[in-house]
Structure formats: C-alpha cells, structure tokens
Amino acid sequence: MTTFIPGPHLLESPRGRDWPRLPAAPAPVREPAPPSRADVVVVGAGPAGLAVVSALWHHGVSDVVVLDRGGRPCRRFFDRVDLLGQRVLRSPYEHHPGVEGYRDCELLDFARLHWSRLTPVERREVRMAQAGHRSVVPVDVFEAYCDHLVATHDVAGRTWRATVRDVRPGGSDVTVRTDRGTVTARHVVLCPGEERREAPREWWGGGAAPSGVRYWDERPPPGGERQVVVGAGLTAAHLISNALAAGRRVHWVIREPGERYQCADVNSKFFRPEGRARVGNVGWDDRLGLLAQFRRASIMFEFRPLLERAEAEGRLVVHRGAAVTGVAAATGGTVAVRLAGGQRVGGDCVVLALGTTPETGRGLLPEDVVGERDGWPALDERTLAYTHAPRVSVVGAAAGMVLGPAARNIDGHRVATARVAEAIARGVRGGPLAAAPVRTEVGAGV
C-alpha cells in the first residue's frame, strides 16, 4: 500500500494580500450601547456567528444584534491564527461559513473569482477542490471571503462591542446583560467557540503559570535557544515549526503514545450525513465513546516530512507517551517539565498546547438551563435549542453530542446553523419554536 504525503510547501501561502473590497456601506450611527430590543441576539462574531447572521439574512430575519467582545467579526479568530503564524486552514474549500441550502457565493467561488491573486500552488489546490479532491485553503483567501460575507450580509452594521455577562431566559423573551447595557430578544444564539484547556492543577498547584511557561494563545517571549512544547495537535505542530525556523532546539512532549496525522481535524466520515446519523442513532454512552475516539488531537499530513526530518537531524527531540507530573522554574532562569519516571526536560521556555474545551453556556446561563451532563449541555436535537430554554440555541463545539465530532468544525457550524436559523425564522414569523424540521439524513453506517 502506498501512502501519499503532501509536501510542506503547501503550508506557505502568502499573508496580507490586498483583496478587492465591495463598496463599503455608510457607517451606521452607533449608539453608545447596543439596542435594548431585537428579534435575535447572536453572542459571538466568529465564523459560527458569521454563519448564523448570514443564514438569518437569507431567511429575511433582519432585526439582529451581534454582541462580540472585540466588536469586529472574526477578528479574534484571525488574531489567534496569526499568532501561530498559520498560513493555511486544514478545512477544505467545501467547509466555509456560508449558508446551507442557499446558492450563496461559496468559498471556492470566491477563490476562483480572484484567480489572478493566487499563487501557482494555490491555483493547483483550487483545481484539486474542483475535481473533488482534498485541498488546503489559504488563510488569506478565507479572511477575504469572511470580509465578503460581512459586507454582503450587513454583519458589521449589526455588530456591537460588548462582553456578555449573563443570559436569562423568560417565558416569551430572553434578557442578555452586557457590560454596555441590556438587550431583550425573542431568540438568542450562543456562538462562543472553544477556550484553551488549562494545565492540570497538580502540575504547579494551580493559579498563574510559573515564569517561563505560557499557553499557545499568548505572545512568545523573545530569544532563547531551547523550547519545550507540550501538546499533540496542529497547534503544537505550528509552535514547533516556528521554533525550528527560528533556529531553536525543540523538545516535544506528547502525552499520547504518539503523534497522529490526518487531513482534517475530524475524520471526514463525520462530515457526511451518514456520519452524523451514526451519532444521532445511538445512545448517550455510545456517543461519548465516539467523541472520545474521534475528537483526539491530530496534525495535518503536510507537517510530517518537516517534523520527521528535524527529528532525524536532532533538532527536534520527541518524548512520546510521556505523562507530565510537574512544571517548575529551574536553575539559570530556565524552566523544566517533569515526566513520569523522573526525567526532566528543560528549556528557556515551555509552551502548552493542551487542546480546547467547548463553551457550553455555563457561566452565562443558569446551571439548570444548561443541564450539563458529562460536560455537554442538554439540547433539542431538532433545533439545537437548550431543552430547558427553547429560545436559546447554540452553534459550535457544544453541539457535539447532537452533530458528532464535526460540530466543532466550520462545516459543522454550517450544518448547525441551518437547523437553528430555520427554527428561529419560524419562531419570528409566529410559528411554534420546536417545529423546524430536520432534513432527513439516511444511512446510519459509516
């Protein structure tokens, strides 16, 4: 059996190109605080929030308020991407925050429209996508496409900078309290994404990280010749690649038995209807098992030649199956990771890439509304509304127990958005909240 491993050159798309922009709409007269009432409030303006607002636009639901702590659609998403120096997405062209069921301008259409701005490598990837093969998407193209969606669906004009403090469902409406006022809405959609996973308390006793230790979403300290990276996923691969490019020697601590390489962050079978049906047709314990098996950390194949070469040359030392028992400052201003068995791995800096955890609504919604079980919220499988609050829905990783592992992916956002937007549009028009039909997804086998 022959395995094709794509080369690392696919990871190097240019960043920061000048893309043609649609004529900007007149800037709205912004109030010092969001409007006090709206049909729909969307919490979070990342790719999931962008998909929700775009879908509601197609349903004719225009009285929408988007609340985002940064105030700029998708800004936090791209800030995190750029902090890692990431140049391409691992999601293919067919995964985009567009609208399911409508012939909107899709990501592949957008790339073809701007063919002259693509590199030869990027053009080849577009041709691969047109032929139905797996391809990588430049971050630059994806950001320009998101800007296009923002402009064509009037997302910026509906977005306010605000930090949401809590969400309180009532009988006929929902109250959203922010640091800049309160908004009362008929429906609320939570699109909070995922937050970094914190280190276990036993590593250093909890609280602030020791000097010389940082997380992947924090800016790196300058200088240093040795770096330790703890993590097994794509984020860890970017951190290692950046450190190697800067001439540093890297120790890579993988707590799992070894690294896993695969095209997408989730096995592609779960992007298809029959894959989602596989999750929907089994009980709770079986779903937990599927998520545990298929949400594991993995790395794009394109990194494999680069990392294997660095390991063979001694610039990268990999500690596989290494349980971490502690992290502490060491002599000479360095920091050390203590592994099971007593081995200590030291460096000038330790970077933690321990994965992410879904934002389930805990901290915003009352605990009895979230109805959390094994870390997952209680959701209506037809509408993705909270079982105990049918006017509040969620799009993103928190819907994993309904949509399966792909819920966290951009494609999963689009599938979730189709259900949520249809149910909300029906409710805004005066229909019953739980009456939105779910498109039949035949075939439980994968």
Side-chain angles (χ1 to χ4, degrees), residues 118-163:
L118 304 181
T119 69
V121 171
E122 291 170 341
R123 292 176 183 178
R124 179 179 177 275
E125 291 300 294
V126 168
R127 293 190 184 100
M128 293 278 286
Q130 287 180 284
H133 300 298
R134 184 252 181 183
S135 59
V136 297
V137 178
V139 167
D140 225 42
V141 172
F142 187 73
E143 182 178 28
Y145 174 72
C146 288
D147 288 344
H148 172 83
L149 286 183
V150 167
T152 53
H153 298 81
D154 190 26
V155 179
R158 306 171 195 270
T159 303
W160 273 260
R161 182 184 60 78
T163 299

mmCIF file of all heavy atoms in Angstrom, residues 118-163:
data_model
loop_
_atom_site.group_PDB
_atom_site.id
_atom_site.type_symbol
_atom_site.label_atom_id
_atom_site.label_comp_id
_atom_site.label_asym_id
_atom_site.label_seq_id
_atom_site.Cartn_x
_atom_site.Cartn_y
_atom_site.Cartn_z
ATOM 1 N N LEU A 118 -3.934 34.524 -6.824
ATOM 2 C CA LEU A 118 -3.474 33.270 -6.243
ATOM 3 C C LEU A 118 -2.117 32.879 -6.784
ATOM 4 O O LEU A 118 -1.780 33.157 -7.937
ATOM 5 C CB LEU A 118 -4.488 32.155 -6.527
ATOM 6 C CG LEU A 118 -5.935 32.385 -6.084
ATOM 7 C CD1 LEU A 118 -6.778 31.162 -6.424
ATOM 8 C CD2 LEU A 118 -6.011 32.715 -4.611
ATOM 9 N N THR A 119 -1.327 32.201 -5.948
ATOM 10 C CA THR A 119 -0.037 31.677 -6.391
ATOM 11 C C THR A 119 -0.272 30.411 -7.219
ATOM 12 O O THR A 119 -1.363 29.807 -7.171
ATOM 13 C CB THR A 119 0.850 31.334 -5.192
ATOM 14 O OG1 THR A 119 0.283 30.200 -4.508
ATOM 15 C CG2 THR A 119 0.966 32.513 -4.231
ATOM 16 N N PRO A 120 0.733 29.952 -7.980
ATOM 17 C CA PRO A 120 0.569 28.695 -8.723
ATOM 18 C C PRO A 120 0.184 27.518 -7.823
ATOM 19 O O PRO A 120 -0.637 26.675 -8.209
ATOM 20 C CB PRO A 120 1.945 28.492 -9.364
ATOM 21 C CG PRO A 120 2.475 29.878 -9.543
ATOM 22 C CD PRO A 120 1.994 30.632 -8.336
ATOM 23 N N VAL A 121 0.762 27.439 -6.630
ATOM 24 C CA VAL A 121 0.419 26.356 -5.709
ATOM 25 C C VAL A 121 -1.039 26.468 -5.288
ATOM 26 O O VAL A 121 -1.780 25.473 -5.240
ATOM 27 C CB VAL A 121 1.348 26.380 -4.478
ATOM 28 C CG1 VAL A 121 0.850 25.398 -3.406
ATOM 29 C CG2 VAL A 121 2.770 26.026 -4.884
ATOM 30 N N GLU A 122 -1.489 27.688 -4.988
ATOM 31 C CA GLU A 122 -2.879 27.886 -4.571
ATOM 32 C C GLU A 122 -3.851 27.565 -5.706
ATOM 33 O O GLU A 122 -4.923 27.009 -5.478
ATOM 34 C CB GLU A 122 -3.067 29.323 -4.106
ATOM 35 C CG GLU A 122 -2.335 29.636 -2.799
ATOM 36 C CD GLU A 122 -2.320 31.119 -2.471
ATOM 37 O OE1 GLU A 122 -2.548 31.942 -3.398
ATOM 38 O OE2 GLU A 122 -2.080 31.462 -1.308
ATOM 39 N N ARG A 123 -3.467 27.907 -6.936
ATOM 40 C CA ARG A 123 -4.326 27.591 -8.079
ATOM 41 C C ARG A 123 -4.460 26.081 -8.253
ATOM 42 O O ARG A 123 -5.541 25.572 -8.577
ATOM 43 C CB ARG A 123 -3.762 28.220 -9.344
ATOM 44 C CG ARG A 123 -3.826 29.742 -9.354
ATOM 45 C CD ARG A 123 -3.163 30.307 -10.583
ATOM 46 N NE ARG A 123 -3.163 31.770 -10.563
ATOM 47 C CZ ARG A 123 -2.611 32.537 -11.496
ATOM 48 N NH1 ARG A 123 -1.997 31.961 -12.531
ATOM 49 N NH2 ARG A 123 -2.669 33.846 -11.387
ATOM 50 N N ARG A 124 -3.362 25.373 -8.027
ATOM 51 C CA ARG A 124 -3.424 23.913 -8.137
ATOM 52 C C ARG A 124 -4.375 23.345 -7.087
ATOM 53 O O ARG A 124 -5.134 22.405 -7.369
ATOM 54 C CB ARG A 124 -2.027 23.327 -7.947
ATOM 55 C CG ARG A 124 -1.983 21.807 -8.014
ATOM 56 C CD ARG A 124 -0.568 21.284 -7.839
ATOM 57 N NE ARG A 124 -0.547 19.837 -7.846
ATOM 58 C CZ ARG A 124 -0.766 19.076 -6.765
ATOM 59 N NH1 ARG A 124 -1.025 19.640 -5.601
ATOM 60 N NH2 ARG A 124 -0.728 17.753 -6.855
ATOM 61 N N GLU A 125 -4.372 23.918 -5.884
ATOM 62 C CA GLU A 125 -5.275 23.440 -4.833
ATOM 63 C C GLU A 125 -6.736 23.716 -5.197
ATOM 64 O O GLU A 125 -7.621 22.920 -4.891
ATOM 65 C CB GLU A 125 -4.918 24.100 -3.505
ATOM 66 C CG GLU A 125 -3.591 23.646 -2.920
ATOM 67 C CD GLU A 125 -3.563 22.157 -2.640
ATOM 68 O OE1 GLU A 125 -4.323 21.707 -1.762
ATOM 69 O OE2 GLU A 125 -2.792 21.438 -3.310
ATOM 70 N N VAL A 126 -6.995 24.844 -5.856
ATOM 71 C CA VAL A 126 -8.350 25.132 -6.315
ATOM 72 C C VAL A 126 -8.785 24.091 -7.337
ATOM 73 O O VAL A 126 -9.919 23.584 -7.301
ATOM 74 C CB VAL A 126 -8.431 26.551 -6.908
ATOM 75 C CG1 VAL A 126 -9.754 26.754 -7.645
ATOM 76 C CG2 VAL A 126 -8.291 27.592 -5.813
ATOM 77 N N ARG A 127 -7.901 23.764 -8.268
ATOM 78 C CA ARG A 127 -8.231 22.737 -9.265
ATOM 79 C C ARG A 127 -8.494 21.394 -8.586
ATOM 80 O O ARG A 127 -9.383 20.641 -9.005
ATOM 81 C CB ARG A 127 -7.091 22.611 -10.276
ATOM 82 C CG ARG A 127 -6.899 23.845 -11.178
ATOM 83 C CD ARG A 127 -5.930 23.523 -12.289
ATOM 84 N NE ARG A 127 -5.657 24.681 -13.116
ATOM 85 C CZ ARG A 127 -4.576 25.448 -13.012
ATOM 86 N NH1 ARG A 127 -3.649 25.152 -12.092
ATOM 87 N NH2 ARG A 127 -4.400 26.491 -13.788
ATOM 88 N N MET A 128 -7.700 21.083 -7.552
ATOM 89 C CA MET A 128 -7.920 19.840 -6.804
ATOM 90 C C MET A 128 -9.315 19.842 -6.175
ATOM 91 O O MET A 128 -10.034 18.839 -6.218
ATOM 92 C CB MET A 128 -6.859 19.708 -5.710
ATOM 93 C CG MET A 128 -5.449 19.492 -6.223
ATOM 94 S SD MET A 128 -5.116 17.770 -6.656
ATOM 95 C CE MET A 128 -4.974 17.052 -5.030
ATOM 96 N N ALA A 129 -9.710 20.988 -5.607
ATOM 97 C CA ALA A 129 -11.033 21.086 -4.985
ATOM 98 C C ALA A 129 -12.130 20.936 -6.022
ATOM 99 O O ALA A 129 -13.149 20.276 -5.778
ATOM 100 C CB ALA A 129 -11.165 22.417 -4.254
ATOM 101 N N GLN A 130 -11.943 21.538 -7.200
ATOM 102 C CA GLN A 130 -12.942 21.421 -8.267
ATOM 103 C C GLN A 130 -13.102 19.977 -8.713
ATOM 104 O O GLN A 130 -14.187 19.564 -9.132
ATOM 105 C CB GLN A 130 -12.542 22.294 -9.457
ATOM 106 C CG GLN A 130 -12.728 23.787 -9.220
ATOM 107 C CD GLN A 130 -12.318 24.586 -10.434
ATOM 108 O OE1 GLN A 130 -11.132 24.773 -10.722
ATOM 109 N NE2 GLN A 130 -13.301 25.072 -11.167
ATOM 110 N N ALA A 131 -12.034 19.217 -8.639
ATOM 111 C CA ALA A 131 -12.084 17.810 -9.050
ATOM 112 C C ALA A 131 -12.590 16.905 -7.932
ATOM 113 O O ALA A 131 -12.661 15.687 -8.110
ATOM 114 C CB ALA A 131 -10.694 17.361 -9.501
ATOM 115 N N GLY A 132 -12.932 17.495 -6.783
ATOM 116 C CA GLY A 132 -13.467 16.712 -5.686
ATOM 117 C C GLY A 132 -12.426 16.127 -4.761
ATOM 118 O O GLY A 132 -12.745 15.258 -3.942
ATOM 119 N N HIS A 133 -11.173 16.579 -4.874
ATOM 120 C CA HIS A 133 -10.104 16.055 -4.024
ATOM 121 C C HIS A 133 -9.867 16.979 -2.832
ATOM 122 O O HIS A 133 -10.216 18.160 -2.856
ATOM 123 C CB HIS A 133 -8.811 15.892 -4.822
ATOM 124 C CG HIS A 133 -8.928 14.948 -5.973
ATOM 125 N ND1 HIS A 133 -9.224 13.612 -5.815
ATOM 126 C CD2 HIS A 133 -8.804 15.154 -7.311
ATOM 127 C CE1 HIS A 133 -9.273 13.025 -7.013
ATOM 128 N NE2 HIS A 133 -9.029 13.949 -7.932
ATOM 129 N N ARG A 134 -9.199 16.457 -1.830
ATOM 130 C CA ARG A 134 -8.860 17.246 -0.664
ATOM 131 C C ARG A 134 -7.872 18.336 -1.061
ATOM 132 O O ARG A 134 -6.951 18.124 -1.840
ATOM 133 C CB ARG A 134 -8.266 16.328 0.406
ATOM 134 C CG ARG A 134 -7.945 17.036 1.722
ATOM 135 C CD ARG A 134 -6.480 17.190 1.926
ATOM 136 N NE ARG A 134 -6.185 17.837 3.200
ATOM 137 C CZ ARG A 134 -4.966 18.130 3.584
ATOM 138 N NH1 ARG A 134 -3.941 17.851 2.815
ATOM 139 N NH2 ARG A 134 -4.756 18.727 4.752
ATOM 140 N N SER A 135 -8.061 19.543 -0.539
ATOM 141 C CA SER A 135 -7.167 20.654 -0.828
ATOM 142 C C SER A 135 -7.078 21.545 0.400
ATOM 143 O O SER A 135 -7.919 21.477 1.297
ATOM 144 C CB SER A 135 -7.673 21.464 -2.027
ATOM 145 O OG SER A 135 -8.970 21.974 -1.754
ATOM 146 N N VAL A 136 -6.025 22.364 0.457
ATOM 147 C CA VAL A 136 -5.871 23.267 1.590
ATOM 148 C C VAL A 136 -6.272 24.678 1.163
ATOM 149 O O VAL A 136 -6.113 25.069 0.007
ATOM 150 C CB VAL A 136 -4.430 23.266 2.144
ATOM 151 C CG1 VAL A 136 -4.063 21.900 2.679
ATOM 152 C CG2 VAL A 136 -3.435 23.737 1.104
ATOM 153 N N VAL A 137 -6.797 25.437 2.120
ATOM 154 C CA VAL A 137 -7.315 26.777 1.858
ATOM 155 C C VAL A 137 -6.392 27.802 2.497
ATOM 156 O O VAL A 137 -6.125 27.731 3.698
ATOM 157 C CB VAL A 137 -8.731 26.938 2.443
ATOM 158 C CG1 VAL A 137 -9.257 28.348 2.202
ATOM 159 C CG2 VAL A 137 -9.668 25.896 1.852
ATOM 160 N N PRO A 138 -5.903 28.784 1.742
ATOM 161 C CA PRO A 138 -5.071 29.824 2.344
ATOM 162 C C PRO A 138 -5.850 30.645 3.360
ATOM 163 O O PRO A 138 -7.013 31.001 3.126
ATOM 164 C CB PRO A 138 -4.659 30.680 1.146
ATOM 165 C CG PRO A 138 -4.875 29.817 -0.061
ATOM 166 C CD PRO A 138 -6.022 28.926 0.286
ATOM 167 N N VAL A 139 -5.227 30.958 4.473
ATOM 168 C CA VAL A 139 -5.854 31.836 5.465
ATOM 169 C C VAL A 139 -6.214 33.170 4.826
ATOM 170 O O VAL A 139 -7.259 33.754 5.118
ATOM 171 C CB VAL A 139 -4.913 32.032 6.669
ATOM 172 C CG1 VAL A 139 -5.397 33.174 7.565
ATOM 173 C CG2 VAL A 139 -4.806 30.744 7.481
ATOM 174 N N ASP A 140 -5.350 33.652 3.946
ATOM 175 C CA ASP A 140 -5.582 34.943 3.293
ATOM 176 C C ASP A 140 -6.881 34.935 2.483
ATOM 177 O O ASP A 140 -7.660 35.889 2.526
ATOM 178 C CB ASP A 140 -4.406 35.263 2.357
ATOM 179 C CG ASP A 140 -3.936 36.696 2.496
ATOM 180 O OD1 ASP A 140 -3.856 37.189 3.636
ATOM 181 O OD2 ASP A 140 -3.655 37.323 1.466
ATOM 182 N N VAL A 141 -7.125 33.853 1.756
ATOM 183 C CA VAL A 141 -8.355 33.729 0.972
ATOM 184 C C VAL A 141 -9.554 33.618 1.905
ATOM 185 O O VAL A 141 -10.596 34.250 1.680
ATOM 186 C CB VAL A 141 -8.282 32.502 0.041
ATOM 187 C CG1 VAL A 141 -9.616 32.249 -0.646
ATOM 188 C CG2 VAL A 141 -7.179 32.694 -1.002
ATOM 189 N N PHE A 142 -9.405 32.845 2.968
ATOM 190 C CA PHE A 142 -10.516 32.647 3.891
ATOM 191 C C PHE A 142 -10.902 33.955 4.588
ATOM 192 O O PHE A 142 -12.085 34.264 4.753
ATOM 193 C CB PHE A 142 -10.146 31.585 4.923
ATOM 194 C CG PHE A 142 -11.275 31.189 5.826
ATOM 195 C CD1 PHE A 142 -12.318 30.410 5.358
ATOM 196 C CD2 PHE A 142 -11.301 31.598 7.145
ATOM 197 C CE1 PHE A 142 -13.373 30.047 6.184
ATOM 198 C CE2 PHE A 142 -12.344 31.239 7.983
ATOM 199 C CZ PHE A 142 -13.381 30.464 7.502
ATOM 200 N N GLU A 143 -9.909 34.740 4.981
ATOM 201 C CA GLU A 143 -10.219 36.012 5.640
ATOM 202 C C GLU A 143 -10.916 36.965 4.672
ATOM 203 O O GLU A 143 -11.894 37.633 5.040
ATOM 204 C CB GLU A 143 -8.958 36.670 6.189
ATOM 205 C CG GLU A 143 -9.261 37.968 6.929
ATOM 206 C CD GLU A 143 -8.040 38.612 7.533
ATOM 207 O OE1 GLU A 143 -6.936 38.423 6.995
ATOM 208 O OE2 GLU A 143 -8.179 39.326 8.537
ATOM 209 N N ALA A 144 -10.427 37.042 3.440
ATOM 210 C CA ALA A 144 -11.067 37.912 2.453
ATOM 211 C C ALA A 144 -12.493 37.450 2.171
ATOM 212 O O ALA A 144 -13.396 38.277 1.976
ATOM 213 C CB ALA A 144 -10.243 37.927 1.157
ATOM 214 N N TYR A 145 -12.710 36.136 2.173
ATOM 215 C CA TYR A 145 -14.058 35.617 1.970
ATOM 216 C C TYR A 145 -14.971 35.995 3.131
ATOM 217 O O TYR A 145 -16.133 36.381 2.931
ATOM 218 C CB TYR A 145 -14.010 34.100 1.801
ATOM 219 C CG TYR A 145 -15.371 33.446 1.733
ATOM 220 C CD1 TYR A 145 -16.168 33.594 0.604
ATOM 221 C CD2 TYR A 145 -15.858 32.703 2.799
ATOM 222 C CE1 TYR A 145 -17.428 32.995 0.543
ATOM 223 C CE2 TYR A 145 -17.107 32.110 2.745
ATOM 224 C CZ TYR A 145 -17.891 32.258 1.613
ATOM 225 O OH TYR A 145 -19.123 31.685 1.557
ATOM 226 N N CYS A 146 -14.466 35.889 4.355
ATOM 227 C CA CYS A 146 -15.264 36.284 5.514
ATOM 228 C C CYS A 146 -15.612 37.771 5.440
ATOM 229 O O CYS A 146 -16.745 38.166 5.754
ATOM 230 C CB CYS A 146 -14.503 35.978 6.807
ATOM 231 S SG CYS A 146 -14.404 34.210 7.198
ATOM 232 N N ASP A 147 -14.653 38.595 5.003
ATOM 233 C CA ASP A 147 -14.939 40.025 4.820
ATOM 234 C C ASP A 147 -16.048 40.223 3.786
ATOM 235 O O ASP A 147 -16.899 41.107 3.927
ATOM 236 C CB ASP A 147 -13.676 40.766 4.380
ATOM 237 C CG ASP A 147 -12.654 40.920 5.500
ATOM 238 O OD1 ASP A 147 -13.030 40.733 6.672
ATOM 239 O OD2 ASP A 147 -11.487 41.220 5.193
ATOM 240 N N HIS A 148 -16.017 39.383 2.738
ATOM 241 C CA HIS A 148 -17.055 39.452 1.707
ATOM 242 C C HIS A 148 -18.425 39.132 2.297
ATOM 243 O O HIS A 148 -19.412 39.828 2.021
ATOM 244 C CB HIS A 148 -16.703 38.476 0.581
ATOM 245 C CG HIS A 148 -17.779 38.302 -0.440
ATOM 246 N ND1 HIS A 148 -17.959 39.174 -1.490
ATOM 247 C CD2 HIS A 148 -18.742 37.349 -0.574
ATOM 248 C CE1 HIS A 148 -18.983 38.777 -2.221
ATOM 249 N NE2 HIS A 148 -19.478 37.676 -1.690
ATOM 250 N N LEU A 149 -18.502 38.085 3.131
ATOM 251 C CA LEU A 149 -19.774 37.736 3.768
ATOM 252 C C LEU A 149 -20.245 38.853 4.698
ATOM 253 O O LEU A 149 -21.435 39.166 4.753
ATOM 254 C CB LEU A 149 -19.631 36.442 4.555
ATOM 255 C CG LEU A 149 -19.555 35.134 3.780
ATOM 256 C CD1 LEU A 149 -19.502 33.958 4.751
ATOM 257 C CD2 LEU A 149 -20.735 34.964 2.841
ATOM 258 N N VAL A 150 -19.310 39.444 5.425
ATOM 259 C CA VAL A 150 -19.662 40.537 6.334
ATOM 260 C C VAL A 150 -20.288 41.685 5.555
ATOM 261 O O VAL A 150 -21.314 42.249 5.946
ATOM 262 C CB VAL A 150 -18.413 41.015 7.108
ATOM 263 C CG1 VAL A 150 -18.691 42.340 7.821
ATOM 264 C CG2 VAL A 150 -17.986 39.956 8.121
ATOM 265 N N ALA A 151 -19.691 42.015 4.394
ATOM 266 C CA ALA A 151 -20.192 43.140 3.598
ATOM 267 C C ALA A 151 -21.526 42.820 2.937
ATOM 268 O O ALA A 151 -22.449 43.634 2.936
ATOM 269 C CB ALA A 151 -19.154 43.528 2.542
ATOM 270 N N THR A 152 -21.660 41.623 2.372
ATOM 271 C CA THR A 152 -22.867 41.296 1.600
ATOM 272 C C THR A 152 -24.065 40.974 2.476
ATOM 273 O O THR A 152 -25.204 41.030 2.004
ATOM 274 C CB THR A 152 -22.606 40.113 0.649
ATOM 275 O OG1 THR A 152 -22.070 39.011 1.397
ATOM 276 C CG2 THR A 152 -21.618 40.506 -0.438
ATOM 277 N N HIS A 153 -23.829 40.633 3.750
ATOM 278 C CA HIS A 153 -24.937 40.291 4.639
ATOM 279 C C HIS A 153 -25.082 41.306 5.782
ATOM 280 O O HIS A 153 -25.762 41.029 6.762
ATOM 281 C CB HIS A 153 -24.756 38.879 5.202
ATOM 282 C CG HIS A 153 -24.749 37.811 4.150
ATOM 283 N ND1 HIS A 153 -23.625 37.511 3.410
ATOM 284 C CD2 HIS A 153 -25.728 36.989 3.698
ATOM 285 C CE1 HIS A 153 -23.917 36.537 2.556
ATOM 286 N NE2 HIS A 153 -25.174 36.202 2.708
ATOM 287 N N ASP A 154 -24.440 42.459 5.630
ATOM 288 C CA ASP A 154 -24.571 43.569 6.580
ATOM 289 C C ASP A 154 -24.305 43.114 8.012
ATOM 290 O O ASP A 154 -25.047 43.440 8.937
ATOM 291 C CB ASP A 154 -25.966 44.200 6.477
ATOM 292 C CG ASP A 154 -26.061 45.508 7.263
ATOM 293 O OD1 ASP A 154 -25.010 46.156 7.441
ATOM 294 O OD2 ASP A 154 -27.172 45.863 7.691
ATOM 295 N N VAL A 155 -23.220 42.370 8.207
ATOM 296 C CA VAL A 155 -22.914 41.861 9.545
ATOM 297 C C VAL A 155 -22.280 42.950 10.415
ATOM 298 O O VAL A 155 -22.619 43.091 11.594
ATOM 299 C CB VAL A 155 -21.990 40.632 9.454
ATOM 300 C CG1 VAL A 155 -21.648 40.110 10.851
ATOM 301 C CG2 VAL A 155 -22.646 39.533 8.625
ATOM 302 N N ALA A 156 -21.371 43.734 9.836
ATOM 303 C CA ALA A 156 -20.698 44.769 10.629
ATOM 304 C C ALA A 156 -21.700 45.773 11.186
ATOM 305 O O ALA A 156 -21.570 46.238 12.324
ATOM 306 C CB ALA A 156 -19.642 45.474 9.785
ATOM 307 N N GLY A 157 -22.723 46.106 10.386
ATOM 308 C CA GLY A 157 -23.719 47.064 10.831
ATOM 309 C C GLY A 157 -24.617 46.545 11.931
ATOM 310 O O GLY A 157 -25.388 47.316 12.529
ATOM 311 N N ARG A 158 -24.532 45.241 12.208
ATOM 312 C CA ARG A 158 -25.361 44.641 13.261
ATOM 313 C C ARG A 158 -24.527 44.242 14.475
ATOM 314 O O ARG A 158 -25.050 43.624 15.405
ATOM 315 C CB ARG A 158 -26.079 43.404 12.716
ATOM 316 C CG ARG A 158 -26.880 43.638 11.453
ATOM 317 C CD ARG A 158 -27.368 42.311 10.870
ATOM 318 N NE ARG A 158 -27.831 42.464 9.499
ATOM 319 C CZ ARG A 158 -29.073 42.758 9.155
ATOM 320 N NH1 ARG A 158 -29.980 42.933 10.094
ATOM 321 N NH2 ARG A 158 -29.411 42.878 7.883
ATOM 322 N N THR A 159 -23.234 44.558 14.449
ATOM 323 C CA THR A 159 -22.321 44.090 15.489
ATOM 324 C C THR A 159 -21.955 45.209 16.458
ATOM 325 O O THR A 159 -21.596 46.305 16.036
ATOM 326 C CB THR A 159 -21.040 43.508 14.855
ATOM 327 O OG1 THR A 159 -21.394 42.445 13.955
ATOM 328 C CG2 THR A 159 -20.102 42.960 15.918
ATOM 329 N N TRP A 160 -22.022 44.894 17.744
ATOM 330 C CA TRP A 160 -21.637 45.827 18.799
ATOM 331 C C TRP A 160 -20.558 45.197 19.667
ATOM 332 O O TRP A 160 -20.602 44.002 19.946
ATOM 333 C CB TRP A 160 -22.836 46.174 19.694
ATOM 334 C CG TRP A 160 -23.653 47.325 19.201
ATOM 335 C CD1 TRP A 160 -23.613 48.622 19.632
ATOM 336 C CD2 TRP A 160 -24.659 47.282 18.179
ATOM 337 N NE1 TRP A 160 -24.521 49.379 18.939
ATOM 338 C CE2 TRP A 160 -25.178 48.586 18.043
ATOM 339 C CE3 TRP A 160 -25.162 46.263 17.358
ATOM 340 C CZ2 TRP A 160 -26.173 48.902 17.129
ATOM 341 C CZ3 TRP A 160 -26.150 46.567 16.454
ATOM 342 C CH2 TRP A 160 -26.648 47.873 16.341
ATOM 343 N N ARG A 161 -19.612 46.026 20.076
ATOM 344 C CA ARG A 161 -18.606 45.549 21.020
ATOM 345 C C ARG A 161 -19.227 45.504 22.409
ATOM 346 O O ARG A 161 -19.665 46.522 22.940
ATOM 347 C CB ARG A 161 -17.387 46.474 21.029
ATOM 348 C CG ARG A 161 -16.267 46.001 21.972
ATOM 349 C CD ARG A 161 -15.126 46.988 22.029
ATOM 350 N NE ARG A 161 -15.567 48.295 22.498
ATOM 351 C CZ ARG A 161 -15.807 48.593 23.775
ATOM 352 N NH1 ARG A 161 -15.670 47.656 24.711
ATOM 353 N NH2 ARG A 161 -16.197 49.802 24.109
ATOM 354 N N ALA A 162 -19.265 44.330 22.988
ATOM 355 C CA ALA A 162 -19.838 44.169 24.324
ATOM 356 C C ALA A 162 -19.427 42.808 24.874
ATOM 357 O O ALA A 162 -19.302 41.838 24.121
ATOM 358 C CB ALA A 162 -21.366 44.277 24.284
ATOM 359 N N THR A 163 -19.217 42.755 26.157
ATOM 360 C CA THR A 163 -18.946 41.495 26.840
ATOM 361 C C THR A 163 -20.229 41.038 27.526
ATOM 362 O O THR A 163 -20.788 41.776 28.354
ATOM 363 C CB THR A 163 -17.831 41.661 27.884
ATOM 364 O OG1 THR A 163 -16.632 42.076 27.221
ATOM 365 C CG2 THR A 163 -17.575 40.351 28.618
#
